[in-house]
Amino acid sequence: MAQTHTLQQIQMMVDQIRLTVMSEQFDDTPEIRSLSREFAELSKALNHRLRQCGELLRQGLRSEAIESAETEPRLLDAVAVVINLSDEELQSWQDLCEFLELTRPEPMLNDAALMLDSAYEEHEPLENLLRLHRRLALQRAPLSKRLATLRILAREDPGTEFWEEDIEKYEKARHAQIQEDLRKLKKSPSAANLNELKSEVESSEWMNPVPKKIIMTIRELLHNSSRDEARGHLKQAEEGLREAFAEMNFSKAKPDYELWLQNWPLAELANDDPLAIEAIPALSWCEQSAANEAEENEWSRTLSRVEALLDKKETTLLDFERISDEVDRFERPLPNSLGNRLQTRIASLRLRKSRQRLLIIVGSTVVTIAIASLVTVVVLEANESRFRNEILARVQEFVDQGDVNRATELLGQYEGRWNDSSNWIDTVTSVDELQSKIDDRAHRLESIILEARAVPDRDDKTFDELKTQASSIVNEQPIVQQIVDQMELDFRNLKSERVIRLQKIEAGLFERLKAQSQQYDDLKLTVAEMEVKDFETRTQRMKEALSIIEQEAAGMSPQIRNQSQLLMTNINDLSGQVYREIRKEKLLKEMATLTRANLKNSKGTMVKFTELLGQLNEITLDEAKTKELQRTIEDAVTYQALEAFCNTFAMPEARLFPTASAEITSRKKDVTDYLEKYPNSPLISTVNDYAATLDVLWKRHGDSSSLIERTRMAAIDDFAMKNLYIIKVEGLKWPYYLTEYQYFQEPQVVEISSYRQDRQPQLVRLNANKLIDRKTEAAPQKALADKLNSLIEQTNFDNWESTYGIMTDAVVSENGVDPILKLRLLMILQIQAKEGSLTLENHQPFKAYVTQQTETAQKVNLLTQWPDPDDQDVMKRRKLAEEYVEMLRVTDALNEIWKSSKDELESQAKELNLSYQSIGWMKHNEEGEPILDIDIPENGKWNIVICRSGDSETKSSSIRQIGHCSEGKAVIPEETLKYEFCPCRMVFAYPILPN
């Protein structure tokens, strides 16, 4: 049934219902019955279509619902025309139908209509999202990705309830999945996976927030994972360092040393941790090794030269002595094998040289003995042989005992006496061999003593190993007690020297710690007056000195390390305090620059200020100051709201109050976005007033059901206004109306199809001779419709009331138009004007005008068949309408009716364009007293205000005036400042507008 009605026919039906209700003449006429039947069928048909669309929407078939609603007449347009009837008018019509036992209309399904309207708005941007959602489902994508897409859909499509249901299901499933992931991560932690989980669970998009226990578990696991991973790297590095240190392989130690430095801060190990303590020798060695590399390279070259000399057969004693002197320059022993070889070669060459001298002496002695023997051979031969054997036996006894000195001394007493005796020569050879062994043993022992002397004082292990080697040398057979005693004496002396040196080093380290402690005390006293660069230089030097002390104290008294670490902790704490103060000064300086701004041209300034305020709060350790800053942080949201207000709504009136539907929609979206983002804005009432104005502008100019279009449809494009022709008859003041142009040629009787208001033509017979003109002419209201159309096209945001006033004057002054039709047009204009006005509803002259007009319309009954010029009842009613219209024409009754809303719009525009400026902030002076650090505007009068956030959810934020200024002079009561003072609270100003 609805498809048989056009939108224009539906509007005409609604207008007839409105006129019927206003006339209060409830006669049971065919016209009323026909109207009630058609309107009931129309409401039923529209509701049927709404139900179909609603069912499609509930099934998620948005596209199908929109396609169904687009069928002519467009469903929402038709519903908008029907629901344009006010609640009072609709109730009156229901009462009329019940009274006359007529068919009653069904109430419009407004909820379904609103659902369909929302579907239109949401349909276009959701297409791509729905396509992505389906693709992820088919691909069985991870829950986290599908959940993110669902959240976007729910945000973009808030009217669809099942999105939230799906999100809740997905989030519950994701909660369980996260717990399962955590169980796996507890067994095999992964920093990358934990970081990804942390970002996900800390998101603000969860409808059902992730349990705090899970969040804390993730944070703890992530922290522990990073720490454990770093500790693992440290342990790995320490093993490598220890191994490289044991091997004295600096090249091998380099990668592990760098790994240690990278992971030490993350591992959170205490300085007295066993791992750190174990690594100290190796770390100290690494630092010193670079300097030692050059010396090691030179030492290696010297060793190569020693080996080369040893490998040469023709090498003199002088060459060996020179290379030995060069080795002594390093004050470190040669490797055992190389040193033994060198000492053996030197001893061998020296022994060869002494034997050569001995052979010369022996030769001379033999000659002398031979001569003496010739003389005494006979006498002494027997006694000499016995005596020689005794002497040689005693020498051999000394050799067996290892007493080479006594054996040599005894041989020396009888040197040359028995040189020709083979026994004597064998004994001399035996003594020489013993001397050679003793010399070799002495040289090896000397080499070990030198090597032990070079062992670091804290390396007891190496020192004891060398002593053991020395003991094995002196215990070689035959044992020479002199060598044994000398070895023990040397090692006792070395041990004493090592202990004394260690004691001196410890005493020196304690003295150095005391000096560093004194420097720390001096630093604490002077830190407030120091430059940052000087402070950093001094603390860095102290840290380096303490680090060196700890390295040098390895293996010594643990008190040295404990005192050093305590002092290092104190230095770090002091540095933290200084750097917090530096950061605080920097933040305050940067924040101070942000407190002076014209908010209209300062996008993002208040957001930046809020971020800096949060950073300041993080580094503030004082609990009382933290509470004060927290209050300012709560207020900072209002600063952002104020800045967003200035940047969103400050614009010319023509843009603030547009007449194009697209621009009105854009302004309404600005308002909606602002209210969603800043629901507790201190300017919420101003924004709500502007939103109400935009609603009125939408009513006027919005869509096809706007007031202007309704006016055009009812008062301009109406069939009776544009499509009628008239034929005048003698004796009748008003003409008959026809629906088409005609020329009557009948000589006596003319039959015409006279137009009636109920669109049911009436056959009328007229005497042809009484026709004033046999040709019909256009009805005079057609010219009036053209004039009204021209006037309504000139409607703007600030001339609504005046335009409808001019159209009213045009209706009143137009000649030839039936008075009842004029009264109907006047009713239509005043109804539409009132609904689209900001001022007329409460304007007393207009209210009186409406009352008088309504009373007249009730008397006249606008449903009267005004096109009938000959009906007596119609003539009486026409007379009443004519008198009312004439009264309006000849009096000044219309002069005060149309109160313009221009002033109200201008006032609202001034409020929306109010130039808010941030002029400074509140802070403490050097004495700790509360002050205002503000730049007072030099020109004009200004109110000085602050923004306060609401104390609860029910109490909105506010702008509070704390003073005012005029021509650069401010008046701010001291009591107000004390009451409203809060550190870092921003102060604003706005100009005082003239009344």
Side-chain angles (χ1 to χ4, degrees):
M1 189 67 180
Q3 294 180 354
T4 62
H5 293 83
T6 65
L7 202 60
Q8 183 176 358
Q9 290 171 337
I10 295 173
Q11 182 63 55
M12 290 177 62
M13 195 182 303
V14 169
D15 290 341
Q16 287 180 357
I17 289 173
R18 181 178 286 112
L19 293 173
T20 300
V21 170
M22 292 176 60
S23 68
E24 294 189 358
Q25 293 195 7
F26 304 146
D27 299 332
D28 187 2
T29 64
E31 293 82 4
I32 292 291
R33 288 187 172 277
S34 175
L35 182 59
S36 67
R37 184 179 62 256
E38 290 186 12
F39 189 65
E41 291 175 352
L42 173 65
S43 63
K44 183 177 180 180
L46 292 178
N47 279 341
H48 177 69
R49 292 182 64 188
L50 285 172
R51 289 191 190 93
Q52 288 181 330
C53 293
E55 185 60 26
L56 289 172
L57 290 175
R58 278 187 286 272
Q59 296 175 11
L61 304 175
R62 181 186 289 103
S63 300
E64 290 78 358
I66 291 175
E67 182 179 358
S68 176
E70 285 296 306
T71 306
E72 288 295 335
R74 297 179 71 244
L75 182 54
L76 287 183
D77 291 344
V79 171
V81 172
V82 172
I83 64 176
N84 187 45
L85 285 170
S86 67
D87 293 339
E88 293 80 3
E89 291 172 338
L90 185 58
Q91 186 59 45
S92 297
W93 178 253
Q94 295 273 17
D95 294 340
L96 173 62
C97 292
E98 184 176 359
F99 175 74
L100 297 178
E101 297 182 352
L102 303 176
T103 306
R104 298 172 63 186
E106 294 182 3
M108 282 292 99
L109 301 177
N110 292 334
D111 291 342
L114 290 174
M115 187 188 305
L116 182 60
D117 184 62
S118 299
Y120 270 97
E121 295 179 0
E122 298 162 356
H123 179 67
E124 183 62 28
L126 291 177
E127 281 300 307
N128 292 334
L129 285 173
L130 289 170
R131 192 177 300 113
L132 175 61
H133 179 55
R134 289 191 292 269
R135 184 168 66 250
L136 291 176
L138 291 173
Q139 294 174 348
R140 296 186 179 276
L143 272 179
S144 56
K145 290 185 178 180
R146 297 166 66 183
L147 190 54
T149 304
L150 271 178
R151 286 171 177 153
I152 298 174
L153 278 169
R155 188 164 55 247
E156 297 294 331
D157 186 15
T160 303
E161 296 178 354
F162 60 75
W163 291 134
E164 294 185 357
E165 296 175 359
D166 288 351
I167 289 175
E168 289 183 356
K169 294 177 182 177
Y170 274 61
E171 286 186 349
K172 290 179 180 178
R174 183 56 181 152
H175 287 177
Q177 193 178 72
I178 289 174
Q179 290 178 336
E180 182 62 28
D181 292 342
L182 286 178
R183 281 193 289 271
K184 295 178 180 177
L185 288 170
K186 284 180 181 178
K187 297 178 181 178
S188 56
S190 167
N193 293 340
L194 285 168
N195 273 315
E196 184 177 346
L197 266 183
K198 180 175 179 292
S199 300
E200 180 181 356
V201 301
E202 290 181 349
S203 171
S204 61
E205 294 184 345
W206 291 88
M207 291 180 61
N208 299 311
V210 179
K212 290 185 178 179
K213 183 178 180 181
I214 293 180
I215 297 176
M216 295 304 297
T217 302
I218 292 174
R219 291 176 179 172
E220 182 179 357
L221 282 176
L222 180 59
H223 178 269
N224 294 341
S225 174
S226 301
R227 183 196 61 203
D228 294 344
E229 185 176 353
R231 289 182 177 179
H233 289 316
L234 287 184
K235 188 173 182 181
Q236 174 187 345
E238 192 275 334
E239 291 175 356
L241 287 172
R242 180 155 37 86
E243 182 180 349
F245 182 47
E247 298 173 1
M248 290 296 172
N249 187 344
F250 182 59
S251 299
K252 183 177 180 180
K254 279 183 179 179
D256 295 307
Y257 182 59
E258 293 175 356
L259 185 63
W260 178 280
L261 295 178
Q262 291 171 1
N263 289 276
W264 172 255
L266 301 175
E268 299 180 352
L269 286 180
N271 290 333
D272 59 352
D273 187 273
L275 182 63
I277 294 174
E278 290 176 6
I280 287 176
L283 293 173
S284 302
W285 167 72
C286 285
E287 293 175 359
Q288 296 173 357
S289 292
N292 294 338
E293 272 188 345
E295 183 178 350
E296 288 296 332
N297 292 336
E298 182 65 25
W299 175 248
S300 297
R301 287 193 292 271
T302 302
L303 294 180
S304 298
R305 291 175 58 196
V306 171
E307 290 181 350
L309 282 176
L310 290 173
D311 291 339
K312 290 175 61 178
K313 293 182 178 181
E314 301 297 331
T315 304
T316 65
L317 178 60
L318 180 60
D319 292 334
F320 280 116
E321 289 176 343
R322 286 176 178 173
I323 197 65
S324 180
D325 292 340
E326 188 173 344
V327 169
D328 292 341
R329 180 172 58 85
F330 289 94
E331 296 184 355
R332 54 192 295 186
L334 288 168
N336 290 338
S337 59
L338 191 62
N340 291 337
R341 289 177 62 197
L342 178 62
Q343 294 301 328
T344 301
R345 288 290 295 276
I346 292 175
S348 175
L349 289 173
R350 286 175 178 172
L351 180 60
R352 183 183 301 171
K353 187 175 181 181
S354 64
R355 282 182 176 177
Q356 290 174 353
R357 289 197 301 269
L358 182 59
L359 288 174
I360 294 172
I361 294 171
V362 170
S364 301
T365 303
V366 168
V367 173
T368 304
I369 292 173
I371 297 172
S373 296
L374 290 174
V375 178
T376 60
V377 66
V378 175
V379 180
L380 299 175
E381 183 175 359
N383 294 331
E384 187 69 18
S385 176
R386 179 179 52 80
F387 180 70
R388 182 184 65 229
N389 292 335
E390 292 177 357
I391 294 300
L392 291 179
R394 291 177 61 189
V395 171
Q396 187 62 45
E397 182 180 354
F398 290 147
V399 170
D400 294 339
Q401 294 175 357
D403 192 349
V404 70
N405 291 332
R406 295 178 66 181
T408 303
E409 181 181 357
L410 186 57
L411 284 176
Q413 293 177 6
Y414 301 98
E415 185 175 358
R417 187 170 177 175
W418 301 304
N419 289 344
D420 57 348
S421 171
S422 60
N423 292 336
W424 172 267
I425 295 173
D426 292 337
T427 302
V428 169
T429 302
S430 177
V431 171
D432 289 343
E433 290 177 353
L434 176 60
Q435 183 64 53
S436 177
K437 290 180 180 179
I438 291 174
D439 290 342
D440 176 65
R441 196 180 305 175
H443 283 298
R444 284 189 288 149
L445 185 60
E446 182 182 1
S447 175
I448 289 177
I449 296 295
L450 290 173
E451 192 172 350
R453 193 182 301 279
V455 172
D457 293 333
R458 292 182 290 274
D459 190 357
D460 290 336
K461 181 180 179 181
T462 303
F463 184 82
D464 292 340
E465 289 176 352
L466 291 174
K467 185 177 179 181
T468 301
Q469 293 179 23
S471 298
S472 65
I473 291 174
V474 299
N475 288 327
E476 292 176 2
Q477 296 297 326
I479 296 175
V480 180
Q481 190 61 38
Q482 181 182 358
I483 297 178
V484 173
D485 296 340
Q486 185 64 42
M487 184 274 293
E488 292 179 351
L489 176 62
D490 288 343
F491 270 93
R492 279 198 303 272
N493 292 338
L494 286 176
K495 185 70 173 179
S496 298
E497 292 172 2
R498 287 163 61 84
V499 171
I500 292 171
R501 284 197 300 269
L502 282 176
Q503 291 175 347
K504 289 182 179 180
I505 292 173
E506 284 187 354
L509 291 176
F510 278 116
E511 287 297 324
R512 287 159 64 184
L513 278 175
K514 184 177 180 181
Q516 294 300 320
S517 179
Q518 184 61 45
Q519 287 189 33
Y520 169 72
D521 293 337
D522 295 340
L523 187 63
K524 283 177 62 179
L525 295 175
T526 59
V527 65
E529 292 79 23
M530 291 182 65
E531 294 290 334
V532 177
K533 187 175 182 180
D534 294 339
F535 174 81
E536 291 177 343
T537 301
R538 289 187 62 178
T539 54
Q540 183 61 31
R541 288 177 180 172
M542 292 175 66
K543 289 180 180 180
E544 291 174 355
L546 291 174
S547 177
I548 294 172
I549 289 173
E550 283 199 39
Q551 295 170 11
E552 294 179 2
M556 296 186 183
S557 172
Q559 293 182 1
I560 300 175
R561 179 173 54 82
N562 294 338
Q563 291 185 22
S564 175
Q565 291 177 356
L566 177 61
L567 191 55
M568 184 75 78
T569 300
N570 293 338
I571 293 173
N572 290 333
D573 291 342
L574 182 61
S575 298
Q577 296 174 16
V578 171
Y579 291 136
R580 279 194 296 272
E581 287 299 319
I582 294 172
R583 177 60 177 157
K584 180 179 178 180
E585 291 179 6
K586 183 178 179 182
L587 285 173
L588 290 174
K589 184 176 180 181
E590 187 174 357
M591 290 166 67
T593 62
L594 298 176
T595 60
R596 276 79 170 172
N598 185 337
L599 299 188
K600 185 178 180 180
N601 303 314
S602 63
K603 291 184 178 179
T605 300
M606 296 300 105
V607 174
K608 179 64 174 177
F609 181 85
T610 306
E611 293 175 354
L612 297 179
L613 195 60
Q615 295 176 24
L616 180 63
N617 187 48
E618 289 177 359
I619 65 173
T620 302
L621 303 181
D622 187 276
E623 185 175 354
K625 292 181 179 179
T626 300
K627 289 182 179 179
E628 290 179 335
L629 286 174
Q630 191 60 41
R631 289 169 54 196
T632 308
I633 290 173
E634 293 172 358
D635 291 344
V637 179
T638 64
Y639 307 163
Q640 299 177 32
L642 192 61
E643 182 181 39
F645 176 88
C646 295
N647 284 280
T648 302
F649 303 116
M651 60 185 72
E653 288 185 16
R655 291 187 60 200
L656 278 174
F657 309 115
T659 57
S661 60
E663 293 183 15
I664 298 174
T665 301
S666 177
R667 296 292 86 76
K668 286 170 71 69
K669 186 177 185 305
D670 291 341
V671 171
T672 301
D673 292 346
Y674 181 85
L675 293 176
E676 287 180 355
K677 191 169 184 179
Y678 307 105
N680 288 322
S681 168
L683 294 169
I684 193 74
S685 60
T686 301
V687 178
N688 284 334
D689 291 343
Y690 179 49
T693 300
L694 289 175
D695 289 340
V696 171
L697 291 175
W698 179 259
K699 282 185 180 180
R700 294 180 183 177
H701 310 282
D703 54 16
S704 58
S705 62
S706 66
L707 295 175
I708 287 181
E709 292 302 319
R710 282 156 53 182
T711 301
R712 182 178 282 112
M713 187 179 298
I716 297 173
D717 296 337
D718 186 70
F719 187 86
M721 292 294 291
K722 283 196 169 183
N723 299 300
L724 295 182
Y725 295 84
I726 61 171
I727 184 76
K728 296 180 180 179
V729 180
E730 292 179 359
L732 295 177
K733 183 177 180 180
W734 299 97
Y736 284 97
Y737 293 88
L738 289 78
T739 59
E740 58 184 7
Y741 173 80
Q742 290 185 4
Y743 177 73
F744 301 104
Q745 298 180 354
E746 292 84 348
Q748 295 181 355
V749 178
V750 173
E751 291 185 351
I752 64 172
S753 180
S754 176
Y755 171 79
R756 291 173 60 84
Q757 185 164 265
D758 58 4
R759 307 292 293 276
Q760 302 294 328
Q762 181 180 7
L763 183 63
V764 178
R765 291 185 176 84
L766 301 175
N767 187 339
N769 295 325
K770 290 188 176 183
L771 296 180
I772 296 176
D773 190 345
R774 289 180 173 269
K775 294 184 293 183
T776 60
E777 61 182 74
Q781 57 263 33
K782 186 176 185 304
L784 176 59
D786 293 338
K787 187 182 296 184
L788 293 178
N789 187 60
S790 176
L791 291 171
I792 204 168
E793 290 292 339
Q794 302 173 20
T795 305
N796 204 343
F797 72 91
D798 58 354
N799 67 350
W800 176 262
E801 292 82 7
S802 61
T803 298
Y804 273 82
I806 294 172
M807 288 195 292
T808 298
D809 290 339
V811 172
V812 170
S813 60
E814 186 69 26
N815 294 323
V817 178
D818 190 282
I820 297 178
L821 179 58
K822 280 187 176 184
L823 180 58
R824 177 176 176 272
L825 294 174
L826 292 175
M827 286 289 292
I828 291 172
L829 292 177
Q830 67 93 349
I831 291 172
Q832 306 303 324
K834 176 183 177 181
E835 190 171 349
S837 174
L838 299 173
T839 57
L840 293 180
E841 185 173 3
N842 297 317
H843 183 49
Q844 194 59 40
F846 182 80
K847 291 169 70 175
Y849 168 70
V850 172
T851 300
Q852 184 182 16
Q853 192 175 91
T854 303
E855 291 174 353
T856 303
Q858 291 173 352
K859 294 177 182 178
V860 171
N861 186 2
L862 298 180
L863 292 179
T864 299
Q865 295 296 337
W866 60 267
D868 192 339
D870 198 28
D871 185 273
Q872 293 301 315
D873 181 65
V874 173
M875 292 173 66
K876 290 178 182 180
R877 297 179 186 277
R878 185 181 291 115
K879 181 65 175 177
L880 292 174
E882 187 174 16
E883 290 173 352
Y884 172 73
V885 173
E886 182 64 15
M887 180 273 295
L888 293 177
R889 187 182 69 82
V890 301
T891 66
D892 57 355
L894 296 176
N895 292 347
E896 300 297 328
I897 291 175
W898 305 100
K899 181 181 180 181
S900 175
S901 57
K902 184 176 181 180
D903 293 342
E904 187 169 335
L905 292 174
E906 288 179 353
S907 175
Q908 192 172 91
K910 289 179 180 178
E911 289 187 18
L912 293 170
N913 282 279
L914 206 56
S915 179
Y916 286 93
Q917 297 183 10
S918 57
I919 61 173
W921 60 351
M922 299 177 177
K923 69 175 187 177
H924 292 288
N925 61 14
E926 295 180 355
E927 289 75 27
E929 298 176 350
I931 63 169
L932 287 179
D933 177 17
I934 60 175
D935 295 338
I936 301 172
E938 296 181 356
N939 300 319
K941 297 181 179 180
W942 298 71
N943 282 329
I944 300 176
V945 299
I946 60 171
C947 291
R948 292 290 302 272
S949 60
D951 297 329
S952 65
E953 294 182 359
T954 58
K955 187 175 180 181
S956 61
S957 304
S958 61
I959 295 178
R960 300 188 184 181
Q961 183 175 353
I962 62 172
H964 62 273
C965 66
S966 177
E967 305 302 332
K969 296 182 179 179
V971 178
I972 302 174
E974 185 176 351
E975 295 77 10
T976 303
L977 174 60
K978 290 182 178 179
Y979 179 75
E980 299 290 358
F981 180 80
C982 189
C984 299
R985 174 171 283 161
M986 293 190 70
V987 180
F988 302 90
Y990 65 87
I992 301 175
L993 301 177
N995 294 329

